[in-house]
PDB file of all heavy atoms in Angstrom:
ATOM      1  N   GLY A   7      -1.268  10.067   5.402  1.00 88.00           N
ATOM      2  CA  GLY A   7      -1.699   8.690   5.689  1.00 88.00           C
ATOM      3  C   GLY A   7      -2.839   8.199   4.812  1.00 88.00           C
ATOM      4  O   GLY A   7      -3.306   7.077   4.970  1.00 88.00           O
ATOM      5  N   ARG A   8      -3.285   9.029   3.850  1.00 88.00           N
ATOM      6  CA  ARG A   8      -4.374   8.595   2.953  1.00 88.00           C
ATOM      7  C   ARG A   8      -3.783   7.651   1.884  1.00 88.00           C
ATOM      8  O   ARG A   8      -2.683   7.897   1.386  1.00 88.00           O
ATOM      9  CB  ARG A   8      -5.029   9.805   2.296  1.00 88.00           C
ATOM     10  CG  ARG A   8      -5.819  10.623   3.257  1.00 88.00           C
ATOM     11  CD  ARG A   8      -6.532  11.771   2.511  1.00 88.00           C
ATOM     12  NE  ARG A   8      -7.273  12.588   3.444  1.00 88.00           N
ATOM     13  CZ  ARG A   8      -6.804  13.699   3.960  1.00 88.00           C
ATOM     14  NH1 ARG A   8      -5.606  14.139   3.689  1.00 88.00           N
ATOM     15  NH2 ARG A   8      -7.569  14.418   4.806  1.00 88.00           N
ATOM     16  N   ALA A   9      -4.558   6.655   1.506  1.00 90.00           N
ATOM     17  CA  ALA A   9      -4.112   5.724   0.442  1.00 90.00           C
ATOM     18  C   ALA A   9      -3.933   6.490  -0.864  1.00 90.00           C
ATOM     19  O   ALA A   9      -4.731   7.336  -1.225  1.00 90.00           O
ATOM     20  CB  ALA A   9      -5.131   4.615   0.284  1.00 90.00           C
ATOM     21  N   TRP A  10      -2.844   6.132  -1.590  1.00 92.00           N
ATOM     22  CA  TRP A  10      -2.554   6.765  -2.867  1.00 92.00           C
ATOM     23  C   TRP A  10      -2.923   5.760  -3.964  1.00 92.00           C
ATOM     24  O   TRP A  10      -2.296   4.693  -4.074  1.00 92.00           O
ATOM     25  CB  TRP A  10      -1.052   7.098  -2.958  1.00 92.00           C
ATOM     26  CG  TRP A  10      -0.757   8.110  -3.983  1.00 92.00           C
ATOM     27  CD1 TRP A  10      -1.161   8.170  -5.272  1.00 92.00           C
ATOM     28  CD2 TRP A  10       0.092   9.263  -3.819  1.00 92.00           C
ATOM     29  NE1 TRP A  10      -0.671   9.237  -5.929  1.00 92.00           N
ATOM     30  CE2 TRP A  10       0.132   9.958  -5.056  1.00 92.00           C
ATOM     31  CE3 TRP A  10       0.817   9.776  -2.748  1.00 92.00           C
ATOM     32  CZ2 TRP A  10       0.841  11.111  -5.246  1.00 92.00           C
ATOM     33  CZ3 TRP A  10       1.536  10.926  -2.938  1.00 92.00           C
ATOM     34  CH2 TRP A  10       1.549  11.575  -4.174  1.00 92.00           C
ATOM     35  N   PRO A  11      -3.922   6.040  -4.805  1.00 94.00           N
ATOM     36  CA  PRO A  11      -4.372   5.112  -5.834  1.00 94.00           C
ATOM     37  C   PRO A  11      -3.296   4.829  -6.899  1.00 94.00           C
ATOM     38  O   PRO A  11      -2.529   5.717  -7.229  1.00 94.00           O
ATOM     39  CB  PRO A  11      -5.571   5.803  -6.461  1.00 94.00           C
ATOM     40  CG  PRO A  11      -5.980   6.853  -5.498  1.00 94.00           C
ATOM     41  CD  PRO A  11      -4.729   7.265  -4.778  1.00 94.00           C
ATOM     42  N   MET A  12      -3.298   3.601  -7.391  1.00 95.00           N
ATOM     43  CA  MET A  12      -2.399   3.187  -8.441  1.00 95.00           C
ATOM     44  C   MET A  12      -3.106   3.243  -9.782  1.00 95.00           C
ATOM     45  O   MET A  12      -4.269   2.877  -9.874  1.00 95.00           O
ATOM     46  CB  MET A  12      -1.934   1.740  -8.183  1.00 95.00           C
ATOM     47  CG  MET A  12      -1.063   1.574  -6.992  1.00 95.00           C
ATOM     48  SD  MET A  12      -0.729  -0.161  -6.654  1.00 95.00           S
ATOM     49  CE  MET A  12      -2.088  -0.523  -5.540  1.00 95.00           C
ATOM     50  N   THR A  13      -2.420   3.716 -10.797  1.00 94.00           N
ATOM     51  CA  THR A  13      -2.990   3.741 -12.143  1.00 94.00           C
ATOM     52  C   THR A  13      -2.462   2.594 -12.992  1.00 94.00           C
ATOM     53  O   THR A  13      -3.087   2.264 -14.018  1.00 94.00           O
ATOM     54  CB  THR A  13      -2.717   5.084 -12.850  1.00 94.00           C
ATOM     55  OG1 THR A  13      -1.301   5.302 -12.863  1.00 94.00           O
ATOM     56  CG2 THR A  13      -3.413   6.223 -12.126  1.00 94.00           C
ATOM     57  N   ALA A  14      -1.339   1.996 -12.599  1.00 95.00           N
ATOM     58  CA  ALA A  14      -0.786   0.845 -13.314  1.00 95.00           C
ATOM     59  C   ALA A  14       0.204   0.112 -12.407  1.00 95.00           C
ATOM     60  O   ALA A  14       0.758   0.722 -11.486  1.00 95.00           O
ATOM     61  CB  ALA A  14      -0.076   1.336 -14.583  1.00 95.00           C
ATOM     62  N   TYR A  15       0.391  -1.146 -12.719  1.00 95.00           N
ATOM     63  CA  TYR A  15       1.379  -1.935 -11.991  1.00 95.00           C
ATOM     64  C   TYR A  15       1.793  -3.105 -12.894  1.00 95.00           C
ATOM     65  O   TYR A  15       1.033  -3.537 -13.767  1.00 95.00           O
ATOM     66  CB  TYR A  15       0.811  -2.475 -10.660  1.00 95.00           C
ATOM     67  CG  TYR A  15      -0.371  -3.366 -10.818  1.00 95.00           C
ATOM     68  CD1 TYR A  15      -0.207  -4.752 -10.950  1.00 95.00           C
ATOM     69  CD2 TYR A  15      -1.651  -2.848 -10.916  1.00 95.00           C
ATOM     70  CE1 TYR A  15      -1.311  -5.582 -11.136  1.00 95.00           C
ATOM     71  CE2 TYR A  15      -2.746  -3.670 -11.115  1.00 95.00           C
ATOM     72  CZ  TYR A  15      -2.571  -5.032 -11.225  1.00 95.00           C
ATOM     73  OH  TYR A  15      -3.645  -5.829 -11.402  1.00 95.00           O
ATOM     74  N   GLN A  16       3.019  -3.583 -12.731  1.00 94.00           N
ATOM     75  CA  GLN A  16       3.449  -4.709 -13.550  1.00 94.00           C
ATOM     76  C   GLN A  16       4.611  -5.409 -12.847  1.00 94.00           C
ATOM     77  O   GLN A  16       5.565  -4.765 -12.417  1.00 94.00           O
ATOM     78  CB  GLN A  16       3.886  -4.247 -14.924  1.00 94.00           C
ATOM     79  CG  GLN A  16       4.373  -5.378 -15.816  1.00 94.00           C
ATOM     80  CD  GLN A  16       4.712  -4.920 -17.214  1.00 94.00           C
ATOM     81  OE1 GLN A  16       4.484  -3.764 -17.577  1.00 94.00           O
ATOM     82  NE2 GLN A  16       5.266  -5.817 -17.998  1.00 94.00           N
ATOM     83  N   GLY A  17       4.536  -6.721 -12.772  1.00 93.00           N
ATOM     84  CA  GLY A  17       5.660  -7.537 -12.355  1.00 93.00           C
ATOM     85  C   GLY A  17       6.393  -8.008 -13.584  1.00 93.00           C
ATOM     86  O   GLY A  17       5.750  -8.262 -14.622  1.00 93.00           O
TER      87      GLY A  17
END
Side-chain angles (χ1 to χ4, degrees):
R8 290 183 181 96
W10 200 312
M12 293 173 269
T13 56
Y15 61 92
Q16 181 176 352

